[in-house]
Amino acid sequence: MRFKTCSYKSINILEKYSFVPISIEANPPKSYTGVTLPELAPLPFLIKGLQNGTISKNLFRMLYIKQLDRCNDMSNLILKLLSYGGKICLVSSGGYNELNHRVILGEWLKRNGCHCKEYGVNKKRRNEEMSGNTDNKTSIHLFPNWDF
């Protein structure tokens, strides 16, 4: 199973390639009218704890991964996603960084045997973003050499 992940800004481009956007946020933007899977959003206490500093970045990651592990019936999750169409793009707000739950979910899907890549982020930028090293010279490829 192949997935893309992206922010809401990229939905229009991916829809041109027949991707079905699925929001993975509990409260997607009002402008988004598509399919939502709020069960893939971090639990509210995780988001609030990260925002107010009572949960560290590492603890947020760990607890969100535990939350995903609890939906341990991977086959049902994949069947549910497939029911929306063959090409799925999991969508959330925010940029590509280690704390974005879309990125954590993508890593989790990979560990569970799915092919998942962030749309619009080339390998160099992905490595820089994840390591925290960024500069203004990094480019984003709108149409990287990925299967559409």
Side-chain angles (χ1 to χ4, degrees):
M1 179 80 199
R2 291 179 181 263
F3 296 99
K4 294 273 189 241
T5 59
C6 73
S7 68
Y8 291 101
K9 294 186 288 187
S10 300
I11 288 176
N12 291 340
I13 296 169
L14 288 170
E15 284 179 328
K16 291 178 186 176
Y17 292 96
S18 302
F19 276 86
V20 176
I22 299 177
S23 174
I24 55 171
E25 291 188 315
N27 298 304
K30 291 180 181 175
S31 60
Y32 179 78
T33 59
V35 176
T36 62
L37 283 179
E39 60 266 34
L40 294 178
L43 295 170
F45 86 91
L46 291 175
I47 295 169
K48 288 178 184 166
L50 184 63
Q51 289 171 342
N52 68 24
T54 59
I55 294 179
S56 70
K57 294 175 182 180
N58 288 336
L59 185 58
F60 173 82
R61 261 183 95 72
M62 184 185 76
L63 291 174
Y64 180 54
I65 289 168
K66 292 254 186 226
Q67 175 189 333
L68 293 172
D69 287 341
R70 286 194 185 107
C71 58
N72 56 6
D73 193 352
M74 193 64 182
S75 58
N76 277 343
L77 174 63
I78 290 176
L79 285 173
K80 187 171 187 175
L81 290 170
L82 283 174
S83 72
Y84 296 109
K87 293 179 175 180
I88 303 295
C89 185
L90 303 171
V91 185
S92 74
S93 301
Y96 187 84
N97 65 66
E98 66 182 12
L99 285 178
N100 190 308
H101 75 281
R102 174 180 82 235
V103 174
I104 298 169
L105 175 61
E107 293 166 358
W108 182 81
L109 285 167
K110 286 178 195 174
R111 282 194 304 275
N112 283 282
C114 296
H115 185 267
C116 188
K117 289 188 177 182
E118 176 81 5
Y119 173 77
V121 179
N122 67 22
K123 192 172 188 175
K124 179 181 176 190
R125 168 129 186 230
R126 190 170 27 252
N127 291 338
E128 288 174 347
E129 292 279 340
M130 296 308 280
S131 69
N133 299 325
T134 57
D135 61 26
N136 294 332
K137 297 178 184 176
T138 304
S139 63
I140 297 175
H141 298 287
L142 287 179
F143 300 101
N145 193 17
W146 296 339
D147 299 337
F148 279 106

